[in-house]
Amino acid sequence: MKGYSLFLNAAALSPSTPYASPALDLIRKECGLMGTKEGCREGDCGACAVLVGGFEAEGLRYRALPSCLLASGYLADRHLITIEGLGPGLSPVQKAFLEENASQCGFCSPGFIMALTGWICEPEKLNLPGAMAAVDGNLCRCTGYGAIRRASERLVAEFSDLPLTATERLKALANQGVLPQSVFAYGAWIQERKAAKVVARVQTRDVAGGIVAGGTDFYVRTPEPALGFSPVLAKSLPELEGMNILEIQGRKALRIGAAATVREFFSSPLVREWVPGIEKFESSFASTLIRNLATLGGNIANASPVGDLTSMLLALDAELEIKGRGIRRIPLKAFFLGYKKIDLLPGEIIVSICIPLAESPLRFSFAKITKRENLDIAAVNIAIAFHEDKGRFHGVQISAGGVAPTPLLLAKAMEELEGRPIPPDGDTVNRVAEAAMVEVSPIGDVRGSAEYRRKMTGRLVQANFLNLFPNGSLAKELYP
Ligand SMILES: Cc1cc2nc3c(=O)[nH]c(=O)nc-3n(C[C@H](O)[C@H](O)[C@H](O)COP(=O)(O)OP(=O)(O)OC[C@H]3O[C@@H](n4cnc5c(N)ncnc54)[C@H](O)[C@@H]3O)c2cc1C
Ligand code: FES
Ligand code: FES
């Protein structure tokens, strides 16, 4: 992608910012739009949040994204709306902030306003927990969150009757001033570009520099990529184009494109049908802003010993489809060869992730220990999946992150549980927890000592059973 064009607020732009540079630099340094703030530059504060629109299967969609971790090239042929692009006049979200005194120094306000605007765009019924989840990646250091909560309550009341289909909702939001009229101008611009066949050409496969998918790991490691660095942007790869789509292959497996975002994974009706209850664990992964951008492929290939999606997918017995010269398939459990070492040859990419399906839906639970509830990488995480067969545990998979150089399956703990009656008693759970603690080989670091991690492994195994079997006497048996 040599040159690229985007629609910035109400006009088209062909920027000179290299496509590998973070969009925050394009916005502030090249365009001089200082409303988008630079706080942490690590995805941690939400001050840099912007709205990004593009056409998806169900029409034009807008999402709030952290511009400090977003490749400028991601914006090619998309609509970028910064705080300056709302209006004319104050948008209803800005008005709610003003009238509820939700802004003091104002540094965080553009980020909150863009995150809440993105939340209103989601074709779902609005409620206060949804608003609070939408800003779980935004920090305010002076106003206090009470006023921001009041502004959100006002928005829930004001916009309770929005259409639930993406296109109708977009029209309603533009008519009511939540989104600017430029969304229509963007639609017309992109149609013209498509007709003239000038939409961004896909990247060829053999560009040196590696892949950037969501960039939420990459840009934390490389906040200012070297000039001339030219990564392949995953979404522009022919192999991954459209691969965020989730599908059932026959009745055998659920296939998820590696470029699916964490948000898309958890909100997929297919994933929710086959792994009931998995959506409860979405909020344990980072924040809404990060989940809107981070991909499954990135979580796996990053090879962190404590990746949350990786642990979940290990417990779900996932298999990877890898494309290089040809296609090969390997179980996820065989992909990790050592600390940050993976079975991926130069030029290969993970194309999709397959979760095997049985006759009955899986039962699943996940738990992690972090310092902060949101936004934090775990010290330890544990996921459990199994089927119920004639009242007994069947096909048990227990995975652990943060307790060895690689994410791993806990074979002894799995063996201990296989075939036991459902629901389990306290003794069974304790035996599984003890087996897990013996099996792990953690080291100490800033997130916890080795001993702490070993103990937390056992506690998280127990926590998962309490998630799965909340009724009955298990809690009393475990903690008399
Ligand atoms: C504030 C913050 C909070 C976070 N919280 C969590 C958390 O709670 N839990 C958690 O697990 N992680 C967390 N992360 C880490 C990160 O968001 C995840 O690991 C994410 O899934 C990475 O995906 P990505 O698409 O952004 O990866 P990228 O940064 O784009 O890529 C990561 C690596 O994977 C490679 N890659 C990407 N896609 C492919 C592919 N298809 N094939 C081959 N290689 C590929 C890239 O080349 C790169 O080396 C957090 C990050 C931040 C900034
Ligand atoms: S600057 Fe803090 S999240 Fe981007
Ligand atoms: S208003 Fe000052 S940081 Fe939020």
Side-chain angles (χ1 to χ4, degrees):
M1 195 189 293
K2 286 212 170 76
Y4 61 102
S5 300
L6 60 121
F7 207 74
L8 169 61
N9 293 329
L13 174 78
S14 298
S16 55
T17 303
Y19 81 87
S21 296
L24 180 62
D25 293 343
L26 185 162
I27 295 165
R28 287 177 63 90
K29 292 185 185 159
E30 179 170 348
C31 302
L33 295 171
M34 297 304 187
T36 304
K37 302 299 181 205
E38 178 171 345
C40 62
R41 219 179 158 99
E42 289 194 337
D44 253 336
C45 73
C48 65
V50 291
L51 272 188
V52 178
F55 279 89
E56 297 179 12
E58 66 280 32
L60 181 54
R61 294 290 303 271
Y62 284 83
R63 292 199 170 80
L65 300 177
S67 61
C68 66
L69 302 182
L70 183 66
S72 295
Y74 181 99
L75 298 170
D77 292 312
R78 290 196 162 99
H79 189 191
L80 167 64
I81 305 180
T82 66
I83 191 81
E84 293 87 349
L86 297 179
L90 292 181
S91 78
V93 182
Q94 290 171 305
K95 208 157 165 262
F97 260 58
L98 183 70
E99 291 173 2
E100 294 296 343
N101 298 316
S103 187
Q104 190 173 318
C105 78
F107 190 84
C108 69
S109 309
F112 271 98
I113 287 163
M114 298 321 266
L116 284 170
T117 306
W119 157 70
I120 300 179
C121 291
E122 287 290 318
E124 286 167 11
K125 188 104 184 105
L126 300 184
N127 54 36
L128 190 60
M132 296 298 96
V135 294
D136 58 5
N138 296 76
L139 295 179
C140 175
R141 281 291 175 254
C142 55
T143 301
Y145 295 100
I148 293 168
R149 190 185 166 93
R150 282 199 307 278
S152 306
E153 275 166 350
R154 184 188 271 236
L155 293 167
V156 170
E158 194 175 341
F159 294 102
S160 57
D161 287 330
L162 287 169
L164 295 175
T165 55
T167 310
E168 290 308 308
R169 193 173 184 102
L170 188 88
K171 280 189 202 146
L173 290 174
N175 290 334
Q176 294 175 52
V178 176
L179 287 173
Q181 292 292 311
S182 61
V183 299
F184 300 120
Y186 164 70
W189 176 76
I190 199 71
Q191 290 315 326
E192 269 172 36
R193 284 179 66 76
K194 279 188 183 156
K197 298 198 166 84
V198 288
V199 287
R201 292 259 206 88
V202 290
Q203 195 78 43
T204 50
R205 259 304 284 130
D206 50 358
V207 175
I211 294 187
V212 173
T216 61
D217 279 319
F218 174 81
Y219 283 106
V220 173
R221 275 198 319 261
T222 324
E224 292 181 11
L227 280 177
F229 170 74
S230 60
V232 179
L233 301 179
K235 295 249 184 210
S236 70
L237 279 172
E239 294 93 327
L240 290 175
E241 225 184 357
M243 279 299 287
N244 46 349
I245 294 162
L246 299 106
E247 59 179 358
I248 299 265
Q249 292 201 307
R251 300 294 294 171
K252 288 195 198 127
L254 184 58
R255 183 168 182 247
I256 305 151
T261 63
V262 175
R263 177 83 187 107
E264 284 164 338
F265 174 75
F266 282 108
S267 51
S268 154
L270 280 178
V271 172
R272 289 177 177 206
E273 179 188 342
W274 284 96
V275 193
I278 194 164
E279 64 274 14
K280 276 192 297 206
F281 307 107
E282 174 174 357
S283 61
S284 54
F285 188 105
S287 64
T288 299
L289 289 174
I290 300 289
R291 292 194 294 273
N292 281 345
L293 189 57
T295 67
L296 268 58
N299 198 255
I300 295 167
N302 183 45
S304 158
V306 73
D308 290 327
L309 250 300
T310 303
S311 258
M312 293 185 198
L313 292 166
L314 263 179
L316 295 173
D317 201 16
E319 183 185 76
L320 302 181
E321 187 186 2
I322 293 176
K323 189 163 180 200
R325 295 220 165 139
I327 296 259
R328 64 186 176 100
R329 292 185 173 76
I330 57 164
L332 178 58
K333 62 182 173 228
F335 185 66
F336 301 103
L337 305 176
Y339 179 68
K340 291 268 181 186
K341 275 202 201 140
I342 50 177
D343 182 2
L344 198 69
L345 298 170
E348 284 190 323
I349 53 167
I350 304 168
V351 185
S352 72
I353 297 130
C354 292
I355 299 174
L357 301 177
E359 284 302 307
S360 56
L362 281 155
R363 296 201 58 190
F364 176 83
S365 176
F366 173 79
K368 80 188 226 187
I369 299 258
T370 52
K371 283 204 172 135
R372 293 179 298 172
E373 196 182 336
N374 292 109
L375 268 175
D376 247 359
I377 311 280
V380 183
N381 63 31
I382 302 274
I384 299 188
F386 62 90
H387 292 276
E388 189 169 341
D389 183 29
K390 298 182 187 123
R392 290 180 179 265
F393 285 94
H394 175 66
V396 174
Q397 300 279 318
I398 304 179
S399 63
V403 290
T406 64
L408 75 166
L409 282 174
L410 301 178
K412 293 209 169 66
M414 285 153 51
E415 217 173 277
E416 190 65 60
L417 189 59
E418 187 71 29
R420 302 266 177 199
I422 293 177
D425 58 20
D427 281 348
T428 304
V429 171
N430 282 332
R431 275 201 300 276
V432 176
E434 273 154 34
M437 283 193 287
V438 171
E439 232 173 326
V440 297
S441 50
I443 52 162
D445 68 8
V446 285
R447 295 200 191 98
S449 67
E451 198 37 42
Y452 172 78
R453 284 191 149 110
R454 193 181 296 282
K455 274 196 182 142
M456 288 309 108
T457 301
R459 288 297 169 127
L460 288 181
V461 168
Q462 291 176 331
N464 273 311
F465 281 104
L466 292 172
N467 274 341
L468 288 161
F469 304 100
N471 306 320
S473 57
L474 189 57
K476 270 206 181 127
E477 287 179 54
L478 293 179
Y479 304 108

